Amino acid sequence: MEQFMQQMINGFSLGSIYALIALGYTMVYGIIKLINFAHGDIYMLGAFAGFFAISAFHLGFIPSLIISMAICALAGMFIEKVAYKPLRTAPRISMLITAIGVSLFLENGGLLVFSPSIRTFPTIFPVKTYSIFGGIVKLTVKDIVVFLVMIVMLIILQYLVYRTKIGKAMRAVSFDKDAAGLMGVDVDTTISYTFAIGSALAAVAGVLVGIYYNSVWPLMGIMPGLKAFIAAVLGGIGIIPGAVLGGLMIGVIETLVAGYGNSLYRDGVAFAILIIVLLLKPSGLLGKNEREKV
């Protein structure tokens, strides 16, 4: 029981990070129906931005997080303008191939600029452990920070989407882009804001991973990006609560497989979940079944 509870805590920490990345996937898909495979590499950029802000400029956690979010938001908007916007009316496969190309560009650009070496992320929180439930479960400061940051980000995102003008525009564009344009919504600006918000959330995940695992490297976005994509599909891609649910589920399942089985199987299990979901319920746990021409 003790081990199970501890694995659940570890799973929720990992799942919170997956959920933050999956939110970017699901927001972009909800707006322009694009699976942005470069999103995992934006997460890598965010981790490096946080790394340099802390190690080179000796900034604290909050300023580093804000700088990282700003850099990734600008990067996301730039990528959308340069790579995706010219293909907005092209077949969807063209945008998908472009997303893979952007991902490869960022990964190899990262290797060139940052070098392939793994860098140690600075320690900014005290190494302290709290015992809860009568000492059965141990909670580190890093776990608490990850939980709190994810909750704060979710609250801010909910406010943006449901209480602001840009959120209303995003919901209108996701429902019917052409009709939203006819009603006076600036579709291009709305799409840019969506990329900015999704990329900023990926930056938060990148900084949290750097803090949690104490390391960053240029190819760190590949596997978490794919796992977050699986999380988004599991919860129902295009649905914000689905991305959070899917992220937490993938994180918990992965830690349980590593804790009770073999850690070598955890990636395989995640991809097996993707196959099962696509076979049994392609719309995801919270999605509705809709006929769509591919």
Side-chain angles (χ1 to χ4, degrees):
M1 186 62 183
E2 181 179 345
Q3 185 186 359
F4 176 77
M5 293 294 290
Q6 191 62 55
Q7 294 297 343
M8 291 296 288
I9 293 292
N10 296 339
F12 277 117
S13 297
L14 181 62
S16 300
I17 292 165
Y18 288 153
L20 287 170
I21 309 173
L23 283 168
Y25 270 113
T26 212
M27 289 176 68
V28 169
Y29 185 85
I31 293 285
I32 58 172
K33 307 299 180 193
L34 166 68
I35 299 172
N36 183 16
F37 282 113
H39 193 63
D41 302 295
I42 295 289
Y43 149 89
M44 175 271 293
L45 281 181
F48 269 98
F51 168 78
F52 285 115
I54 293 171
S55 61
F57 298 100
H58 307 292
L59 298 177
F61 172 65
I62 299 294
S64 302
L65 196 64
I66 293 171
I67 289 172
S68 176
M69 291 172 71
I71 290 174
C72 286
L74 291 173
M77 292 173 72
F78 178 77
I79 289 170
E80 190 275 328
K81 291 287 183 194
V82 173
Y84 301 141
K85 187 178 177 182
L87 299 173
R88 191 111 9 113
T89 56
R92 202 181 297 178
I93 188 69
S94 302
M95 294 183 72
L96 189 65
I97 293 170
T98 303
I100 295 171
V102 172
S103 173
L104 292 172
F105 175 79
L106 290 175
E107 287 164 13
N108 288 283
L111 289 172
L112 186 66
V113 174
F114 303 129
S115 83
S117 306
I118 296 176
R119 303 192 186 211
T120 304
F121 206 91
T123 302
I124 55 175
F125 291 107
V127 182
K128 195 171 180 180
T129 302
Y130 298 97
S131 297
I132 57 174
F133 301 127
I136 295 176
V137 176
K138 291 182 171 50
L139 203 60
T140 66
V141 175
K142 294 177 183 176
D143 291 320
I144 297 170
V145 169
V146 170
F147 290 142
L148 289 179
V149 170
M150 189 197 72
I151 291 170
V152 169
M153 289 298 149
L154 284 179
I155 293 172
I156 293 173
L157 183 62
Q158 285 293 106
Y159 179 80
L160 278 174
V161 172
Y162 293 104
R163 301 288 181 185
T164 64
K165 190 176 177 181
I166 187 65
K168 189 182 290 184
M170 287 165 60
R171 284 184 285 135
V173 172
S174 68
F175 186 74
D176 191 323
K177 189 166 57 178
D178 296 329
L182 292 172
M183 296 301 290
V185 175
D186 189 334
V187 175
D188 289 338
T189 303
T190 303
I191 292 173
S192 292
Y193 275 121
T194 305
F195 269 85
I197 294 169
S199 300
L201 290 172
V204 174
V207 174
L208 290 178
V209 161
I211 291 171
Y212 200 82
Y213 295 106
N214 294 321
S215 59
V216 292
W217 68 100
L219 301 183
M220 64 182 285
I222 299 175
M223 194 51 72
L226 291 174
K227 299 271 185 70
F229 167 67
I230 295 171
V233 173
L234 175 62
I237 194 161
I239 303 170
I240 289 177
V244 177
L245 175 65
L248 292 176
M249 287 182 68
I250 291 292
V252 169
I253 291 170
E254 191 174 312
T255 53
L256 288 178
V257 169
Y260 289 100
N262 191 325
S263 60
L264 294 176
Y265 296 151
R266 60 183 185 178
D267 295 340
V269 169
F271 290 109
I273 291 172
L274 175 64
I275 294 170
I276 292 170
V277 170
L278 291 176
L279 287 174
L280 300 180
K281 199 171 189 310
S283 57
L285 296 176
L286 302 185
K288 296 178 182 176
N289 291 323
E290 294 179 357
R291 290 184 178 275
E292 185 177 1
K293 184 179 179 181
V294 178

